[in-house]
Amino acid sequence: MYTEKVMKHFHNPANMGKIANPDGVGKVGNMACGDMMYMYIKVAKNKQGEDIIKDIKFQTFGCVAAIATSSVITELVKGKPLSDALKVNNTDIMQSLSGLPPIKVHCSVLATEALSDAIYDHYKRNKKPISKELKAKHEDIVRHNKMLEEQYKEYLDTQELE
Amino acid sequence: MKKEQKRYYFDYAATTPVDKRVLKAMKPYFSDNFANPSSIHTPGMDASEAVESSRKIIANYLGATPSEIFFTSSATESNNWALKGIAATAKGDKKKIIISPIEHHCVLNTAKYLKKMGFEIVETPVDKEGIVDVEKLKELVDDKTLLVSIMHSNNEMGTIEPIKEIGKICDDKNVTFHTDAVQSYGKMPLNVNEMNVDLLTASSHKIYGPKGTAILYIRGGTQIEALLHGGGQESDKRSSTLNVPGIVGFRKATEICVKEMKKEWKKQSKLRDKITKYIKEKIPNSHLNGPALGKPRLCNNVNVRFDFIEGESLLMDLDSHGIAVSTSSACSSPKLEASHVLTALGISKGDAHGTIRITIGRFTSEKDVKYFLTTLEKSVTKLRVMSPLNTRNC
Ligand code: FES
C-alpha cells in the first residue's frame, strides 16, 4: 500500500519534535479523518538578507501518510527562504515520497497547510505584510480547527492546563 | 519489507491458518478422489459420501439434522442468502427486518439493499459493551416482523449476544430468527434448538479450515427461496458443484475444534486476560473497548484504544516488528470513517482513532504474547512522542 520511501520516513521521521521558542507555529487539523499536525519554525536571515527556515520540527497525530508527509516537508523546506517554502505543494511531497495511495492525498495537503500556517504565524508576530492568499488559507485552517477542537476537547483542555 | 522477519500473527478473527491435520484430510480430494459428488459412478459416490459424512458431523455439533445443513462458498453468501431468501417469501405487510447496528457488513449491506426493495429495516440498540437490549428488541418484534438477524458474537469487540433470550422472543412471536455465528462457531458449544434459531451462518476459514467454504443452517420447514439456481444441488436450494475438498476440510476443522474446545477456550481466555491486564497496567491512557474484564467475551478477542495516537500508524509500526493486528480507525477505512461498531458502542470519533483489535488463536504461544506486549509498549511510546496531543508525556 505504501512506497518504501513513505515507510522510511514513517519509521525514522526527520525533524520530529518541538522547538522551544519558535518564531512561528502552525496547528492544523484534518477534517476528513480527524488528525492533527503541529509545525514549529525558527527563522533567520541568510547572506542575501532573506528570511529562511533555519530550523523546523513537527508533531503529528495521524496515519502513516500524515507522519511521512510531515517528515518529508520539513526536509524539503529546511534552509529555504520563506517565500520558496510557501511554494512547496502536495505534488512536490508526493514526488519525494514516490506517491501516496489516492485516499491518503489529503494527508499531504495537511502538511502544506501546517507549514504555511507556521509562516503566517511568523509574519503576524513580526507584523510583516501577509499576502491575500496566505491569509485566506489561514482563515480556512482556523475554521477547520474550531470544528476539530470540539472533537478533541478533553485532550486540548488538559494541554491548556499544563 | 524485511523478508527474514519472524511473523507474529494476532489477527485470527480475520482468518486463520489451515491446520496441518485439516490439510492432510483435504489432500486426497484434489487429484485422487476428485469426482463430482453429483455423478452416480463409483468415484462420484465416494465424493458424495465424503460430503454427506461432513454434513453429519457439522449437524451433530450444532444439534441439527444433516438435511438442515447447506454448504455455501462464504459467510457473506450465507448471510446474503438468509436475508434475501427469507425476504423473498414475504407476504402482505410482513416486511419488517430487525438487525443490530453492529452486524458484519454483509448483513448490514444486504439489509440496506432490501430497504431499497421496500423492506423496513429496524436496528435494535446495543449498550456500550455491544450487548443487544433484549427488552427493547421484545418491543420491536411485532406481527409485521418477518425476520430478526442478530450475530452470535461480534467480530470487532468479541461481545457475545444473549442469543437464547432473543431466540425465545422470536419463537414466542413466531418470527424467523437468523444468527451470524461466524466468530463463535468452533469456539463454544452451539445448539440451534437451545438457542431457538432458524438460520445460522458459519465459516470454515475462521476455524483453521480452508477459505471458500461455509454453511447456512436452515431449520426444517423454514420457508426460504434459493439464492443460486442451477443444477439442483443441496436439495435444489443452493445449486453449484460442491467444493468437496473444502467441505472435507471444514468437517475436519469442526472435529478438531469440538474435541479441543474446552482446552482452547481456557488457554486462549487466559492469554486474552493477560494481554488486557498488561496493557491496563503498563500502558497509561489506554482503554479496553467492548465487554469489561471478567464479563463474557470471545476467548480470543482484545479490543483496545490508546489516547493520542492513531490506529493505522500503530498497526504499521507493529507490522515492522513482524506483528499483525487489525484496526478500525477512520484513517484506515476507505471512507475515512471510524467503524460502525465503535460508533454504535458510543465511542467518540476522537477516542475511536487509536483503536486496534488483537485476536489470538490455536497457535499463539505465551512467548508470542510476551514479545507482542513489549513491542506494543514500545510502539505506543514511539508514536506518542510524535503526537501533539500527548502533553502529559505518557
Ligand atoms: S491522517 Fe487520517 S488518513 Fe492520513
Side-chain angles (χ1 to χ4, degrees):
Chain A
M1 157 177 194
Y2 288 120
T3 66
E4 233 169 82
K5 282 204 182 133
V6 172
M7 291 315 287
K8 222 186 93 207
H9 277 280
F10 169 65
H11 287 309
N12 294 303
N15 305 307
M16 189 267 296
K18 226 170 161 172
I19 292 179
N21 289 304
D23 296 325
V25 184
K27 298 183 177 183
V28 298
N30 192 333
M31 280 325 292
C33 54
D35 298 325
M36 310 278 287
M37 203 182 278
Y38 288 12
M39 201 66 77
Y40 306 85
I41 55 170
K42 240 353 201 188
V43 177
K45 286 208 185 309
N46 65 8
K47 280 184 199 133
Q48 287 81 35
E50 289 170 303
D51 281 340
I52 61 156
I53 296 182
K54 196 176 155 238
D55 198 8
I56 179 163
K57 279 202 159 52
F58 79 87
Q59 286 183 304
T60 293
F61 164 53
C63 73
V64 171
I67 291 170
T69 54
S70 322
S71 160
V72 88
I73 201 169
T74 62
E75 281 189 344
L76 286 174
V77 302
K78 197 168 174 177
K80 278 209 178 138
L82 298 186
S83 52
D84 288 356
L86 280 172
K87 282 184 205 135
V88 172
N89 58 24
N90 73 311
T91 319
D92 302 323
I93 296 181
M94 301 264 282
Q95 248 162 27
S96 326
L97 291 172
S98 310
L100 279 174
I103 193 158
K104 297 292 184 180
V105 173
H106 71 272
C107 315
S108 65
V109 177
L110 192 65
T112 62
E113 285 183 352
L115 174 67
S116 80
D117 221 41
I119 297 175
Y120 173 92
D121 183 44
H122 167 72
Y123 285 159
K124 214 180 142 209
R125 287 181 191 204
N126 296 286
K127 306 212 165 55
K128 288 188 181 160
I130 297 171
S131 75
K132 249 196 192 151
E133 214 187 326
L134 192 58
K135 195 156 178 237
K137 228 177 173 181
H138 170 74
E139 275 157 14
D140 268 354
I141 292 165
V142 170
R143 210 157 30 82
H144 290 172
N145 284 0
K146 271 231 173 76
M147 292 158 83
L148 268 180
E149 260 162 38
E150 272 304 299
Q151 216 172 96
Y152 295 109
K153 224 187 199 149
E154 2 161 5
Y155 303 135
L156 296 168
D157 276 351
T158 52
Q159 182 161 30
E160 261 158 30
L161 289 177
E162 276 159 350
Chain B
M1 193 171 54
K2 282 178 253 156
K3 287 240 163 58
E4 341 69 65
Q5 175 79 62
K6 183 170 185 290
R7 293 279 150 196
Y8 299 83
Y9 191 69
F10 285 85
D11 200 13
Y12 277 83
T15 193
T16 59
V18 173
D19 191 297
K20 299 248 166 17
R21 294 167 285 180
V22 170
L23 189 62
K24 198 173 154 220
M26 291 171 71
K27 258 194 179 143
Y29 294 94
F30 286 100
S31 301
D32 300 332
N33 307 358
F34 61 87
N36 190 326
S38 298
S39 306
I40 55 173
H41 44 58
T42 304
M45 297 294 277
D46 286 349
S48 169
E49 163 50 29
V51 169
E52 293 319 314
S53 60
S54 302
R55 204 188 299 280
K56 214 174 183 174
I57 280 166
I58 291 169
N60 261 347
Y61 163 47
L62 293 174
T65 56
S67 61
E68 295 172 316
I69 304 296
F70 295 82
F71 289 109
T72 65
S73 68
S74 67
T76 295
E77 184 194 328
S78 296
N79 285 339
N80 265 265
W81 184 14
L83 270 71
K84 291 176 186 165
I86 295 295
T89 67
K91 284 191 197 84
D93 60 355
K94 235 180 159 170
K95 286 200 145 185
K96 183 162 152 185
I97 297 173
I98 302 173
I99 59 172
S100 85
I102 61 169
E103 295 301 311
H104 190 274
H105 276 125
C106 59
V107 168
L108 289 181
N109 287 336
T110 304
K112 226 190 224 169
Y113 163 78
L114 289 171
K115 192 174 174 186
K116 264 200 329 214
M117 306 305 283
F119 288 86
E120 185 195 355
I121 306 297
V122 179
E123 282 187 3
T124 185
V126 296
D127 67 11
K128 63 180 201 318
E129 297 189 336
I131 300 168
V132 166
D133 181 341
V134 179
E135 285 311 311
K136 183 81 200 160
L137 180 76
K138 204 171 182 174
E139 285 167 30
L140 288 172
V141 182
D142 54 20
D143 24 304
K144 293 214 168 111
T145 310
L146 174 68
L147 174 71
V148 172
S149 178
I150 306 283
M151 67 201 329
H152 194 279
S153 57
N154 183 265
N155 50 315
E156 275 186 44
M157 294 299 159
T159 311
I160 300 169
E161 298 298 346
I163 292 299
K164 264 190 211 165
E165 278 99 313
I166 299 170
K168 172 114 197 352
I169 294 170
C170 295
D171 194 42
D172 287 348
K173 304 213 177 165
N174 225 339
V175 169
T176 307
F177 177 36
H178 166 246
T179 188
D180 172 1
V182 162
Q183 296 290 341
S184 301
Y185 185 97
K187 292 194 186 82
M188 58 177 89
L190 293 178
N191 186 298
V192 288
N193 299 315
E194 278 172 22
M195 297 187 291
N196 270 312
V197 304
D198 301 303
L199 301 140
L200 178 145
T201 297
S203 177
S204 150
H205 79 102
K206 307 284 191 195
I207 63 155
Y208 315 92
K211 294 170 183 61
T213 305
I215 55 150
L216 181 63
Y217 154 80
I218 306 173
R219 182 177 294 279
T222 306
Q223 292 296 313
I224 185 165
E225 271 300 320
L227 188 65
L228 303 181
H229 302 91
Q233 288 90 345
E234 299 294 88
S235 322
D236 205 16
K237 282 217 164 73
R238 201 272 183 184
S239 290
S240 269
T241 298
L242 286 156
N243 173 2
V244 182
I247 290 167
V248 170
F250 196 3
R251 161 210 174 142
K252 186 70 189 174
T254 302
E255 278 178 329
I256 298 171
C257 282
V258 169
K259 211 170 118 222
E260 301 178 352
M261 194 174 281
K262 269 203 189 125
K263 184 187 97 192
E264 278 301 321
W265 183 278
K266 218 170 136 199
K267 180 196 114 181
Q268 290 179 32
S269 24
K270 216 174 118 202
L271 290 178
R272 171 199 66 194
D273 292 348
K274 189 178 171 177
I275 295 172
T276 311
K277 280 182 197 147
Y278 185 98
I279 294 174
K280 201 175 149 217
E281 278 160 23
K282 295 283 171 66
I283 307 181
N285 299 91
S286 60
H287 316 269
L288 180 68
N289 293 322
L293 194 65
K295 289 262 196 80
R297 183 181 202 125
L298 281 179
C299 57
N300 72 334
N301 173 293
V302 180
N303 190 305
V304 275
R305 57 181 205 272
F306 302 97
D307 293 343
F308 324 126
I309 60 174
E310 189 279 320
E312 187 207 81
S313 29
L314 182 54
L315 181 152
M316 294 302 268
D317 198 66
L318 289 170
D319 183 66
S320 70
H321 293 98
I323 293 167
V325 295
S326 95
T327 176
S328 41
S329 94
C331 293
S332 68
S333 95
K335 284 188 195 149
L336 297 174
E337 275 167 12
S339 94
H340 63 282
V341 179
L342 289 166
T343 315
L345 266 59
I347 295 168
S348 78
K349 238 180 151 184
D351 285 348
H353 229 46
T355 289
I356 59 165
R357 179 188 71 184
I358 303 149
T359 47
I360 54 177
R362 183 177 290 162
F363 306 110
T364 312
S365 70
E366 289 256 2
K367 229 172 112 198
D368 296 344
V369 168
K370 223 170 148 199
Y371 172 77
F372 166 71
L373 288 171
T374 45
T375 313
L376 176 70
E377 211 179 332
K378 279 187 219 151
S379 293
V380 170
T381 310
K382 181 182 169 190
L383 291 167
R384 280 185 173 169
V385 168
M386 284 189 217
S387 172
L389 294 181
N390 178 21
T391 50
R392 294 168 223 168
N393 286 324
C394 300

